């Protein structure tokens, strides 16, 4: 299944739909008025002038859910902790109507280039790109007493290894990722303002990288509560309650995803 997210910072969904349909691309509506399923395309969806103009982003419908659930406001100060190549950063900027401020952090230099290119292509103006390891950058932020209203932690996971490196994952990989995810989530929560909200997401199917990470945080910190999510508004998506009440899981044929929301109290 292929989807596109229309970049409403540059074009309205109806105009883009008409333009693409005139080229023989068949699009189907989704629960989101600015996202379409690509039912048929005579050529690669990433090779049109409209793509180069930054009118849309090809991405799974599942990957659009974390920014929607985070729901940043136009005056929010937002941290996107693991941001490249920027599918969710550019979506957050779109929801914020290019207002407020997003700090987009990415550890990999090569992936930061892709992030920069997507941000430029899509006309995002409210984002500061930081090519650093969040585990070190945290110290700088805390020293300056900088905290955020909203944080997205779209964590590195074994799902990325399957997709990017086409390899099977071992028990050790899952354990390694789970430890890293707990570390990153604790960092994120330290950087969240009181009353601030955080969305944790992965494209892994493993409980150790999803529900267990959230359970670990809830058992070990007394300044965090779970914000209950329900699957009902994501019509047409194979989305269900996660194995921890209040969390969400997307299942095939959609791209598998786990989404949880936390609040600092
Ligand atoms: C799941 S991908 C993020 C996808 C991105 N959110 C998007 O929607 O396009 C996870 C990213 O986290 C980055 N990463 C891993 N560890 C990190 C760290 N300690 N600090 C910052 N970025 C990190 C990886 O290089 C990778 O690009």
């Amino acid at each position: 299944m292929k989807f596109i997210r229309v970049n409403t910072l540059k074009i309205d969904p109806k105009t883009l739909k008409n333009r693409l349909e005139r080229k023989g691309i068949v699009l189907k509506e989704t629960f989101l008025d600015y996202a379409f399923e690509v039912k048929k395309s005579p050529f690669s969806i990433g090779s049109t002038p409209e793509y180069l103009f930054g009118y849309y982003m090809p991405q799974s419908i599942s990957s659009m859910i974390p920014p929607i659930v985070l729901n940043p406001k136009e005056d929010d100060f937002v941290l996107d902790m693991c941001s490249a190549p920027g599918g969710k950063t550019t979506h957050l900027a779109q929801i914020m109507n290019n207002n407020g401020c997003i700090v987009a952090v990415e550890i990999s230099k090569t992936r930061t280039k892709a992030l920069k290119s997507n941000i430029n292509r899509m006309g995002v103006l409210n984002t500061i790109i930081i090519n650093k390891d969040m585990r070190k950058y945290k110290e700088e932020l805390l020293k300056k007493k900088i905290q955020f209203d909203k944080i997205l932690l779209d964590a590195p996971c074994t799902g990325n290894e399957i997709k990017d490196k086409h390899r099977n994952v071992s028990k050790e990989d899952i354990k390694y990722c789970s430890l890293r995810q707990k570390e990153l989530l604790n960092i994120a929560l330290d950087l969240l303002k009181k009353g601030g909200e955080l969305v944790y997401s992965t494209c892994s199917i493993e409980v150790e990288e999803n529900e267990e990470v959230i359970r670990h945080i809830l058992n070990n910190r007394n300044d965090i509560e779970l914000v209950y999510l329900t699957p009902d508004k994501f019509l047409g998506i194979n989305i269900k309650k996660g194995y921890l009440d209040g969390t969400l899981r997307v299942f095939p044929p959609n791209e598998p995803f786990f989404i949880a929301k936390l609040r600092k109290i």
Side-chain angles (χ1 to χ4, degrees), residues 57 59 63 67 80-90 105-109 111-112 115 118 130-137 152-157 160 163-164 180 183-184 187 201-203 257:
M57 178 70 104
Q59 62 177 112
S63 71
D80 187 355
M81 279 188 49
C82 295
S83 57
K88 300 184 191 67
T89 315
T90 53
V105 184
E106 169 56 46
I107 193 171
S108 146
K109 201 169 178 177
R111 288 177 69 91
T112 301
L115 169 69
N118 277 321
I130 310 276
N131 178 206
K132 284 194 179 167
D133 180 341
M134 212 39 240
R135 292 168 299 171
K136 296 186 184 129
Y137 186 47
L152 176 64
L153 173 53
D154 186 37
C157 67
N160 305 132
K163 275 190 297 190
D164 300 348
R180 179 57 48 84
E183 183 186 10
L184 289 171
I187 292 172
S201 58
T202 79
C203 61
F257 243 85

Side-chain angles (χ1 to χ4, degrees), residues 54 163 176 215:
K163 275 190 297 190
Y176 174 81
R215 238 184 236 120

Side-chain angles (χ1 to χ4, degrees), residues 111 157-168:
R111 288 177 69 91
C157 67
T158 56
N160 305 132
E161 288 176 27
I162 296 168
K163 275 190 297 190
D164 300 348
K165 297 167 195 149
H166 304 288
R167 67 181 188 93
N168 294 325

Side-chain angles (χ1 to χ4, degrees), residues 51-234:
Y51 171 79
L52 293 175
F53 296 153
Y55 289 169
Y56 64 87
M57 178 70 104
Q59 62 177 112
S60 75
I61 193 95
S62 316
S63 71
M64 299 180 206
I65 298 175
I68 293 170
V69 169
L70 187 63
N71 192 24
K73 299 287 166 261
E74 291 205 8
D75 59 348
D76 273 342
F77 186 39
V78 179
L79 174 65
D80 187 355
M81 279 188 49
C82 295
S83 57
K88 300 184 191 67
T89 315
T90 53
H91 190 181
L92 291 169
Q94 171 175 341
I95 296 171
M96 294 163 82
N97 213 11
N98 246 342
N99 290 307
C101 180
I102 303 173
V103 177
V105 184
E106 169 56 46
I107 193 171
S108 146
K109 201 169 178 177
T110 355
R111 288 177 69 91
T112 301
K113 283 187 191 151
L115 169 69
K116 201 170 165 186
S117 138
N118 277 321
I119 280 179
N120 288 334
R121 185 178 61 83
M122 300 198 79
V124 169
L125 301 171
N126 69 343
T127 299
I128 300 163
I129 300 170
I130 310 276
N131 178 206
K132 284 194 179 167
D133 180 341
M134 212 39 240
R135 292 168 299 171
K136 296 186 184 129
Y137 186 47
K138 168 205 172 174
E139 300 303 334
E140 286 180 49
L141 292 168
L142 287 178
K143 218 182 270 168
K144 291 180 189 147
K145 296 194 175 6
I146 295 174
Q147 285 187 311
F148 297 85
D149 300 301
K150 303 259 165 75
I151 298 181
L152 176 64
L153 173 53
D154 186 37
C157 67
T158 56
N160 305 132
E161 288 176 27
I162 296 168
K163 275 190 297 190
D164 300 348
K165 297 167 195 149
H166 304 288
R167 67 181 188 93
N168 294 325
V169 297
S170 64
K171 277 205 160 50
E172 283 70 39
D173 292 332
I174 297 170
K175 206 168 159 191
Y176 174 81
C177 278
S178 180
L179 280 172
R180 179 57 48 84
Q181 287 149 351
K182 286 170 190 161
E183 183 186 10
L184 289 171
L185 186 50
N186 264 313
I187 292 172
L189 293 168
D190 291 343
L191 291 169
L192 193 61
K193 284 183 192 169
K194 212 172 166 181
E197 290 179 333
L198 173 146
V199 166
Y200 173 82
S201 58
T202 79
C203 61
S204 162
I205 55 168
E206 308 296 338
V207 171
E208 290 92 327
E209 299 182 60
N210 296 320
E211 288 86 351
E212 197 192 295
V213 174
I214 301 299
R215 238 184 236 120
H216 170 86
I217 292 296
L218 294 172
N219 290 339
N220 286 282
R221 294 184 68 133
N222 57 10
D223 58 344
I224 303 300
E225 66 182 11
L226 185 69
V227 180
Y228 272 63
L229 302 174
T230 53
D232 25 283
K233 74 172 181 183
F234 305 104

